[in-house]
Amino acid sequence: MDRLTEAIERTQNPSVVGLDPTPALVPPQVVASFADEVRESVEDESELPAAQLAVAYFEFNRTIIDAVADIVPAVKPQIAMYEAIGPAGIDVYTMTCEYAQQQGLYVLGDIKRGDIGSTAAAYSGHLSGVATDETVFDPWHEDAVTVNPYLGTDGITPFVEAATAADKDIFVLVRTSNPSSKELQELELADGGKLYEHVADLVEGWGSQTIGKHGYSRVGAVVGATHPEEGAALRARMPHTFFLVPGYGAQGGTAAGVAGMFDQDGSGAIVNSSRGIIGAWKKTGEYRDDMSADEALRVVASAARKAAEDMRDDLRVNAWR
Amino acid sequence: MDRLTEAIERTQNPSVVGLDPTPALVPPQVVASFADEVRESVEDESELPAAQLAVAYFEFNRTIIDAVADIVPAVKPQIAMYEAIGPAGIDVYTMTCEYAQQQGLYVLGDIKRGDIGSTAAAYSGHLSGVATDETVFDPWHEDAVTVNPYLGTDGITPFVEAATAADKDIFVLVRTSNPSSKELQELELADGGKLYEHVADLVEGWGSQTIGKHGYSRVGAVVGATHPEEGAALRARMPHTFFLVPGYGAQGGTAAGVAGMFDQDGSGAIVNSSRGIIGAWKKTGEYRDDMSADEALRVVASAARKAAEDMRDDLRVNAWR
């Protein structure tokens, strides 16, 4: 987590922008503007909407990235939003990751993968790339990925090894932000404690051989902003584990609520907002349906930058140091 | 699960072929044969090995599918193997799914996705396709997908809804086949029982509104062949839940061990083998390094068909009816 820690220090901003486009979050004139360009590339008329969305998503993401790259340390594209439109979406996901890395951002791929050992090894190609004797090809351009713990250690080890070899990181789901996360994660265990606490202890252990110069391992934890007290307790329980904290803003998490997830130096956590930043243009009053695509993207950019600044300042004042 | 049940009945074969190619499972002359074709399509020399593997994977998969399509009901491509080589691999994954559906096979996409509600809704596009007012585009060509339960009900509901709308199914991880699955799944709960039993009860409930004419719901369970006694107990505990049973063969599961996972009519489960079938060519003695690519693929085909027949017969005699 050294690179992430230093990027946060450089920007003085412990927040990450979620690049989670949906059809409703991209101004319609931006999607429409690609109709002609895309029509030439599809084989079948039914593919048009997805192909058009894919191109529009990249243009939208590039606008957001350009608007915030100097004030945030990281972005977190959620791959589900891209898978939702098929393989063309996956291309845009990797193009987005590559573009964000080129702008100096730490790219946290929210892929939540998890499987048995041999399969986890294949998934860990997200971090290691495709290596042969002669060449290494990194098609994914991610600096970290999220991983699901339900399979246990042998589903995690390949990711830890790939992360270590490539100077990258992983974040394992511990306490997710959604309401029904309690159905499994809060289960009381026979030996005391709850399931998420047991997972927390596993995560702290999985990272123990990879602690960097800032005191955090390469194995972080996902801890929802919607669980302030549990998050603060986990902070104490997992002293070498960096937290990725989703659920700020749209899902109800607040800066005060995440304050306890930072360590006493104000490090150890990064807070994500997706819709609150990339969808801020919808709430400015500046957007109009009859704007051109370029004009709409300018509103997207200024609204996203303003929302990212507001979030940064909120975290600085109410959560940090 | 009606379509899957009927496909098993038609072929009298409760097995599914895992299409999990790796660089070591595809004969090297097949990969080499695409060198020239692929060189023209890549922008950078470093992309060559991945692009070549992608084309070779499709040729390999098509060979396997053609060899077994009349004797097996289903195939299960593991998307991790395709993600391992980047977006080009994803294209081949969807082409493989589409080709298998065209040959009449039920396609079980082993994607093990899982996330919060709004994100799960995006992932459920794997089943629903991309729908707009005018058109529906199904880029994934899957009949079912596997899903991870760690996020709870709101991470599952969007998949159930998409499956119901599209006459498809899902399989939720309950008791996975890998050794360290016990670290979470076997945890003893304070109210008695183990975590995987609690998940089993959730899964039976998640499917309860979608029970088909053969008595099984659209929400199946993944139960490893490496846990025979637990599997038999789960069969009794989950009367409306169809089982996807990985771990036969290479991972140590046997036909006798999975016998208890079928119901008294011999229905209710499908057993997967991947390496045992797609890697059978390596053990025949018929393959030689100096064969042409076409000759090597003929060995792949005949060995895969023979292995699939042997597995079918093993299950018929030792596990079924």
Side-chain angles (χ1 to χ4, degrees):
Chain A
M1 299 288 170
D2 289 341
R3 289 196 292 124
L4 177 59
T5 304
E6 289 156 18
I8 292 170
E9 193 61 30
R10 189 178 67 245
T11 53
Q12 289 288 298
N13 183 0
S15 72
V16 47
V17 175
L19 297 175
D20 307 356
T22 65
L25 282 174
V26 180
Q29 58 272 61
V30 175
V31 181
S33 70
F34 291 107
D36 293 338
E37 180 182 321
V38 163
R39 184 162 280 116
E40 292 166 17
S41 71
V42 299
E43 290 175 19
D44 186 302
E45 191 80 1
S46 71
E47 298 176 25
L48 256 184
Q52 224 173 311
L53 274 178
V55 186
Y57 281 3
F58 183 66
E59 202 59 29
F60 181 77
N61 287 343
R62 189 161 59 177
T63 299
I64 304 279
I65 291 166
D66 287 346
V68 302
D70 62 324
I71 58 169
V72 304
V75 291
K76 181 176 78 63
Q78 165 55 261
I79 200 170
M81 304 307 171
Y82 304 86
E83 283 189 30
I85 57 173
I90 300 290
D91 286 333
V92 167
Y93 173 84
T94 63
M95 288 164 60
T96 297
C97 292
E98 183 174 25
Y99 185 75
Q101 282 190 335
Q102 288 168 347
Q103 307 316 307
L105 292 162
Y106 180 96
V107 176
L108 216 162
D110 200 352
I111 66 174
K112 295 191 176 68
R113 300 302 193 247
D115 213 303
I116 68 170
S118 55
T119 308
Y123 275 133
S124 74
H126 275 271
L127 298 177
S128 62
V130 185
T132 64
D133 291 346
E134 301 100 44
T135 172
V136 177
F137 169 51
D138 174 15
W140 291 105
H141 306 284
E142 294 149 327
D143 295 292
V145 295
T146 53
V147 181
N148 187 302
Y150 193 68
L151 288 281
T153 299
D154 58 27
I156 301 292
T157 304
F159 284 100
V160 178
E161 290 173 353
T164 302
D167 188 19
K168 296 183 175 181
D169 308 296
I170 68 171
F171 291 87
V172 179
L173 304 187
V174 173
R175 190 70 182 93
T176 59
S177 57
N178 59 317
S180 55
S181 63
K182 64 174 181 287
E183 292 170 1
L184 265 70
Q185 297 163 26
E186 285 186 17
L187 284 173
E188 299 264 4
L189 302 181
D191 67 353
K194 297 187 172 177
L195 176 60
Y196 76 85
E197 294 171 325
H198 184 83
V199 175
D201 294 344
L202 286 171
V203 169
E204 179 78 9
W206 288 330
S208 61
Q209 301 304 309
T210 66
I211 297 172
K213 62 185 174 189
H214 299 293
Y216 289 99
S217 82
R218 294 192 186 276
V219 184
V222 175
V223 179
T226 48
H227 310 292
E229 289 170 25
E230 295 174 7
L234 288 173
R235 176 70 288 151
R237 191 179 189 115
M238 310 173 79
H240 306 99
T241 304
F242 206 98
F243 289 179
L244 168 62
V245 184
Y248 171 95
Q251 290 182 57
T254 65
V258 303
M261 302 187 199
F262 291 92
D263 65 24
Q264 57 191 8
D265 298 324
S267 183
I270 189 164
V271 182
N272 179 74
S273 177
S274 302
R275 281 165 282 176
I277 292 173
I278 70 173
W281 62 273
K282 295 191 141 191
K283 299 181 175 170
T284 58
E286 290 171 31
Y287 171 79
R288 294 190 323 275
D289 289 340
D290 62 356
M291 280 177 159
S292 71
D294 284 348
E295 287 170 329
L297 286 172
R298 275 196 290 275
V299 175
V300 166
S302 64
R305 184 175 179 90
K306 175 72 165 53
E309 287 173 339
D310 288 349
M311 180 180 177
R312 175 196 66 193
D313 296 342
D314 183 29
L315 290 172
R316 281 182 181 171
V317 172
N318 297 308
W320 214 28
R321 301 190 180 180
Chain B
M1 297 289 170
D2 290 339
R3 290 197 289 125
L4 177 59
T5 303
E6 289 156 17
I8 291 170
E9 194 60 31
R10 188 178 69 244
T11 52
Q12 290 288 297
N13 184 359
S15 72
V16 48
V17 175
L19 296 175
D20 308 355
T22 65
L25 283 173
V26 179
Q29 57 272 62
V30 176
V31 180
S33 70
F34 291 107
D36 292 339
E37 179 182 320
V38 163
R39 185 163 279 116
E40 293 165 15
S41 72
V42 300
E43 291 176 17
D44 186 303
E45 192 78 3
S46 70
E47 299 176 23
L48 254 184
Q52 223 173 313
L53 275 178
V55 185
Y57 280 4
F58 183 66
E59 203 60 27
F60 181 78
N61 287 343
R62 189 161 58 175
T63 298
I64 303 280
I65 290 166
D66 288 344
V68 302
D70 61 327
I71 57 169
V72 305
V75 290
K76 182 176 77 67
Q78 166 54 261
I79 200 169
M81 304 307 171
Y82 304 85
E83 284 188 29
I85 56 175
I90 299 290
D91 286 333
V92 167
Y93 173 84
T94 63
M95 289 164 61
T96 297
C97 292
E98 183 174 25
Y99 185 75
Q101 282 191 335
Q102 287 167 347
Q103 308 316 306
L105 292 161
Y106 180 97
V107 176
L108 215 163
D110 201 352
I111 66 173
K112 294 192 177 68
R113 301 303 193 245
D115 213 303
I116 67 169
S118 56
T119 308
Y123 275 133
S124 75
H126 275 269
L127 299 177
S128 62
V130 185
T132 63
D133 292 345
E134 302 99 44
T135 174
V136 177
F137 169 51
D138 174 15
W140 292 104
H141 306 284
E142 295 147 326
D143 295 292
V145 295
T146 52
V147 181
N148 188 302
Y150 192 68
L151 288 282
T153 299
D154 58 26
I156 301 294
T157 304
F159 284 99
V160 178
E161 290 174 352
T164 302
D167 188 18
K168 297 183 175 179
D169 308 297
I170 69 171
F171 291 87
V172 179
L173 304 187
V174 172
R175 190 69 182 96
T176 60
S177 58
N178 58 316
S180 55
S181 63
K182 65 175 182 285
E183 293 171 359
L184 265 69
Q185 297 163 27
E186 285 186 16
L187 284 173
E188 300 263 6
L189 302 181
D191 66 354
K194 296 186 172 177
L195 176 61
Y196 76 86
E197 294 172 323
H198 183 83
V199 175
D201 295 344
L202 286 172
V203 168
E204 179 78 8
W206 288 331
S208 62
Q209 301 304 308
T210 66
I211 296 172
K213 62 185 174 191
H214 298 293
Y216 288 99
S217 82
R218 294 192 186 277
V219 184
V222 176
V223 179
T226 47
H227 310 293
E229 290 169 25
E230 296 174 7
L234 288 174
R235 176 70 287 153
R237 191 179 189 115
M238 310 172 78
H240 306 99
T241 304
F242 206 97
F243 288 179
L244 167 63
V245 184
Y248 171 95
Q251 290 181 55
T254 65
V258 303
M261 303 187 200
F262 291 93
D263 64 25
Q264 54 191 9
D265 298 324
S267 183
I270 189 163
V271 182
N272 179 75
S273 176
S274 302
R275 280 165 282 177
I277 292 174
I278 70 172
W281 64 272
K282 295 193 140 190
K283 297 182 177 171
T284 57
E286 291 170 31
Y287 171 78
R288 295 190 321 276
D289 289 341
D290 62 356
M291 282 178 156
S292 71
D294 284 347
E295 288 170 327
L297 286 172
R298 276 194 290 274
V299 175
V300 166
S302 63
R305 186 176 177 89
K306 175 73 166 53
E309 286 172 340
D310 289 348
M311 180 179 176
R312 175 196 65 191
D313 297 342
D314 184 30
L315 290 172
R316 281 181 181 170
V317 172
N318 297 309
W320 215 27
R321 301 187 181 182

